[in-house]
Amino acid sequence: MRISDCGFNEILNKALVTGDLSREEIVFLLSLEDEADVKRLLETADAVRQACVGDDVYIRGLIEFSNMCARNCSYCGIRADNPDVHRYRMPIDEIIETAEHVVSKGIGTIVLQSGEDPWFTADRMREIIRGIKARADCAITLSIGERTYDEYKAMKEAGADRFLLRHETAVRSLYEKLHPDCSFDERQRCLNDLKSLGYQVGAGCMVGLPWQTVEDMAEDIVFVRDLNADMVGIGPFIPHPGTPLGDHPAGTLAQTLKMVALARIATRNGLLPATTAVGSIDPFGREKALKAGANVVMPNYTPLKYRVDYEIYPDKKCINEDPEQCHGCMQARILSTGRTIGTGPGHSLKHLR
Ligand code: 5AD
Ligand code: FES
């Protein structure tokens, strides 16, 4: 698409003021190559972030409590068919104690993440959610994959506040290629159920997936805007040698930052993490994402003895640092970008409904 300089200014102005960009305009921005042009896009996203959510960066404490997974996503290192993974499940008491410890450090949200592990039934999840809520004043985010409406409902009633379920890609044919044993419609059903149950919902996608085009990425931006997602997690695809996609190239930092910027422009006041994946492909990837629209970080509080086995992609950031180290490091990284640290639970700003 040819767009004149004057057209570029107009598009950036629209991005700044309303974010109401057409697919064509999103594709145009995602295709920018010139360094000065890209810089203007990222700065526009930073300005939208400043105006819509301010300078606070929220810290979420991530606990990866089980790496058992029934699914076979073709990019993911902990997929069921990878025999080289040493599998673990944290005992329920230890999950609750770990969460209590994280909250004692001043962190207002616990993110409970796992593979799709049927052992953690809705009843067991309720026990964990209630146990944490009884001991600690915090919000709870679940990231445990696809469940039935009734299971989501039971966990919401037990006190879960938010749910992360990345849509992975908004393009049906690409989704089906990457998840031969799963259904695109079922994923959408889950996201809709979570919304209707009153969860603050996090969608999100990977950037630079095999076969993914710029047009496909524009669909992801339109998708999170239409869903009115409260949170949007965006990270580069990183090939894992133990998976069918192990030989494909990784997504780039440049393309990931453009996607974070467009997610900010499109969602306005969304909660956007500077993901571990973007920190894993560049030593300052998270800081760069914070300057391109992100306003959340999720340091890893999984006890070290388990953490090494939660390898969804290789060279994952912070795999060997102990949680205390990550805590200080993350705060220093936020402050280095000139931002402030958010206090309290950091609920969705869209959720004041
Ligand atoms: N590279 C990057 N991100 C990945 N995820 C899973 N595997 C990979 C990989 N190889 C992401 C998925 C998932 C989230 C928890 O991690 O988007 O939803
Ligand atoms: Fe873990 Fe920096 S956030 S060591």
Side-chain angles (χ1 to χ4, degrees):
M1 182 173 46
R2 295 260 330 126
I3 292 190
S4 64
D5 280 353
C6 158
F8 183 33
N9 286 339
E10 229 171 82
I11 294 173
L12 279 188
N13 194 45
K14 209 200 292 187
L16 184 67
V17 180
T18 65
D20 209 7
L21 302 171
S22 68
R23 273 187 178 74
E24 215 188 15
E25 290 165 336
I26 295 170
V27 167
F28 168 76
L29 293 174
L30 287 174
S31 308
L32 293 174
E33 297 272 350
D34 180 79
E35 218 175 288
D37 290 346
V38 172
K39 188 160 173 267
R40 287 184 67 199
L41 169 63
L42 304 189
E43 283 170 358
T44 301
D46 199 38
V48 172
R49 187 271 308 156
Q50 224 284 328
C52 296
V53 293
D55 284 338
D56 277 354
V57 176
Y58 288 97
I59 304 181
R60 320 301 200 190
L62 176 65
I63 304 174
E64 297 156 332
F65 65 91
S66 163
N67 71 352
M68 303 270 180
C69 194
R71 291 178 51 138
N72 261 310
C73 304
S74 55
Y75 43 82
C76 186
I78 63 167
R79 66 203 300 273
D81 285 355
N82 185 356
D84 299 328
V85 182
H86 171 251
R87 304 280 172 178
Y88 70 86
R89 280 187 185 116
M90 283 175 66
I92 289 181
D93 287 351
E94 193 179 2
I95 300 171
I96 297 172
E97 279 159 24
T98 306
E100 202 180 349
H101 173 74
V102 176
V103 177
S104 77
K105 297 271 155 198
I107 289 182
T109 293
I110 299 295
V111 180
L112 297 175
Q113 187 169 81
S114 68
E116 290 209 3
D117 183 356
W119 189 86
F120 284 98
T121 57
D123 274 347
R124 290 192 171 115
M125 290 309 300
R126 284 202 311 195
E127 187 183 336
I128 297 167
I129 295 161
R130 290 202 179 116
I132 295 173
K133 288 268 172 161
R135 288 171 186 73
D137 181 19
C138 64
I140 295 183
T141 303
L142 301 178
S143 178
I144 61 171
E146 296 180 16
R147 298 284 173 123
T148 65
Y149 178 90
D150 288 341
E151 288 175 291
Y152 286 146
K153 183 161 183 272
M155 295 185 279
K156 182 82 184 59
E157 284 169 359
D161 301 274
R162 310 186 191 127
F163 205 106
L164 305 178
L165 186 78
R166 288 192 177 179
H167 66 282
E168 309 298 2
T169 167
V171 177
R172 178 187 292 272
S173 54
L174 181 56
Y175 186 92
E176 287 169 353
K177 220 167 169 167
L178 299 168
H179 310 90
D181 53 350
C182 299
S183 144
F184 182 78
D185 291 328
E186 186 62 7
R187 195 87 177 165
Q188 306 298 310
R189 192 272 304 158
C190 289
L191 285 165
N192 293 332
D193 283 355
L194 290 164
K195 275 241 136 192
S196 70
L197 284 162
Y199 280 96
Q200 297 167 46
V201 175
C205 60
M206 280 169 284
V207 178
L209 283 163
W211 311 292
Q212 190 183 37
T213 63
V214 175
E215 286 75 16
D216 294 345
M217 292 180 212
E219 284 309 312
D220 290 318
I221 299 298
V222 172
F223 179 84
V224 295
R225 184 169 67 195
D226 290 350
L227 183 70
N228 195 21
D230 297 281
M231 301 154 307
V232 185
I234 294 176
F237 159 70
I238 302 174
H240 189 298
T243 67
L245 302 181
D247 290 334
H248 287 263
T252 63
L253 176 71
Q255 202 59 308
T256 306
L257 294 178
K258 283 189 260 178
M259 281 291 282
V260 171
L262 276 156
R264 168 58 64 204
I265 288 164
T267 67
R268 317 307 286 173
N269 59 358
L271 291 161
L272 268 53
T275 55
T276 307
V278 77
S280 299
I281 59 163
D282 182 292
F284 294 101
R286 286 170 294 185
E287 288 85 338
K288 289 172 185 169
L290 287 175
K291 289 180 178 162
N295 68 332
V296 171
V297 291
M298 294 172 51
N300 196 332
Y301 281 91
T302 312
L304 265 186
K305 63 177 167 181
Y306 302 115
R307 199 188 295 194
V308 287
D309 293 318
Y310 204 89
E311 198 195 49
I312 49 185
Y313 48 80
D315 300 322
K316 198 171 149 214
K317 197 82 188 154
C318 304
I319 207 106
N320 291 311
E321 278 77 9
D322 79 43
E324 305 305 321
Q325 206 175 327
C326 278
H327 188 84
C329 167
M330 204 56 96
Q331 289 187 329
R333 283 173 188 270
I334 295 170
L335 298 175
S336 80
T337 63
R339 303 277 280 282
T340 46
I341 294 170
T343 52
H347 283 305
S348 168
L349 296 168
K350 293 181 191 294
H351 220 59
L352 308 168
R353 46 189 174 216

